Amino acid sequence: MTKPQVLIVEDEPDIADLIRFHCEREGMGTEIVGAGKLAVDLVKKNAPDVIVLDLMLPDVGGLEVCRRLKQWPETREIPVVMVTAKGEESDVVTGLEMGADDYVVKPFSPRVLMARVRAVLRRRAELQQIPVDNRMERIDGRLVIDPDRHVITIDGQQTDLTVTEFGILNHLAQRPGFVRTRDQIIAAVHGRNVVLSSRTIDVHVTALRKKLGGLSGCVETVRGIGYRFCETPVAVG
Ligand code: CA
């Protein structure tokens, strides 16, 4: 396997160097660019495997960079991990809805950032393989989601879910560890003739967690943003 290439879009040299240090320690190749417009041009010429994108940039802001990259078919699939300042939840929500894959909040722990970067790279590698079987196994096989038959199995026991509950779980489980906003969940479940509002999502999630029993922790609330699927749910009594 060739070295994964990380494009670091960050105008603060200290932070850019810190990210580079951790990426290279994990065997990734890096390139740093300190301005948004330059970043877009660079990605179009030479696509990296993942982009770590600061939202506060001197020229074209990170959100606009993300919007532009997600518009072009050639750059759309490149995963983006956003770096945001504290208290910018609305930017995070906007970015995720534009197609960014995940985010960290400054000041971030390098360990957390690298976990996010590895997760998006893993996910990308998974997507590039063509699935023969649509069934998804999660949590070491304890949870099996079968979208063709529309059933789930928990620890070998088949469990009935409503159409909406199934849609929410199926959507979140496709990208473990990645945050989904309520609007994204609504859009994903919508095609199934279900009318959902932000508020009713929470009600469905509560019902879904009840049915998930000991695995209920796999549907995690991300305060102020939405939900995410957790591969290592904390056992609840
Ligand atoms: Ca910055």
Side-chain angles (χ1 to χ4, degrees):
M1 203 183 121
T2 52
K3 255 187 182 185
Q5 292 299 314
V6 187
L7 179 67
I8 301 160
V9 187
E10 169 63 81
D11 59 314
E12 288 161 76
D14 290 353
I15 298 177
D17 284 342
L18 177 75
I19 299 172
R20 161 177 274 169
F21 172 79
H22 286 278
C23 289
E24 293 189 348
R25 205 172 60 167
E26 298 205 16
M28 301 171 186
T30 58
E31 186 155 7
I32 295 175
V33 51
K37 178 156 186 334
L38 215 59
V40 174
D41 293 344
L42 205 70
V43 172
K44 286 172 87 175
K45 261 187 270 162
N46 193 1
D49 295 297
V50 54
I51 301 168
V52 175
L53 177 64
D54 184 32
L55 292 192
M56 292 289 286
L57 295 167
D59 57 339
V60 176
L63 284 178
E64 178 60 20
V65 170
C66 183
R67 194 184 65 80
R68 291 187 193 176
L69 293 177
K70 294 297 174 183
Q71 265 176 354
W72 287 304
E74 306 81 43
T75 54
R76 184 179 294 155
E77 303 298 326
I78 303 168
V80 173
V81 177
M82 301 180 285
V83 179
T84 75
K86 231 192 182 103
E88 288 178 347
E89 279 83 3
S90 65
D91 283 351
V92 170
V93 171
T94 307
L96 291 171
E97 286 178 349
M98 276 174 186
D101 295 278
D102 212 335
Y103 71 98
V104 291
V105 178
K106 278 180 182 174
F108 55 85
S109 122
R111 204 172 55 87
V112 171
L113 174 66
M114 293 316 296
R116 302 276 150 84
V117 168
R118 278 194 307 270
V120 294
L121 284 170
R122 208 165 39 232
R123 175 64 196 159
R124 194 168 192 232
E126 261 179 47
L127 276 178
Q128 283 164 348
Q129 295 165 352
I130 297 155
V132 184
D133 180 351
N134 287 324
R135 277 187 320 169
M136 272 193 291
E137 287 196 12
R138 292 290 178 249
I139 317 173
D140 296 326
R142 294 185 63 195
L143 174 67
V144 180
I145 301 170
D146 184 348
D148 295 330
R149 292 168 56 230
H150 229 265
V151 294
I152 67 161
T153 311
I154 300 168
D155 291 330
Q157 284 276 53
Q158 196 168 307
T159 304
D160 290 329
L161 298 183
T162 66
V163 174
T164 308
E165 289 159 2
F166 185 89
I168 293 171
L169 181 66
N170 187 40
H171 181 60
L172 294 174
Q174 279 171 16
R175 314 194 96 187
F178 291 12
V179 193
R180 287 291 166 249
T181 66
R182 287 180 175 77
D183 285 344
Q184 286 174 323
I185 298 170
I186 290 167
V189 180
H190 199 69
R192 301 162 197 265
N193 286 330
V194 183
V195 180
L196 274 179
S197 69
S198 292
R199 203 174 303 190
T200 56
I201 285 259
D202 300 342
V203 177
H204 290 293
V205 166
T206 304
L208 170 62
R209 282 189 180 133
K210 207 173 264 174
K211 292 183 183 174
L212 289 168
L215 300 183
S216 64
C218 71
V219 179
E220 240 179 2
T221 302
V222 183
R223 198 180 283 265
I225 306 215
Y227 293 99
R228 78 163 108 209
F229 187 88
C230 172
E231 267 290 313
T232 51
V234 180
V236 267

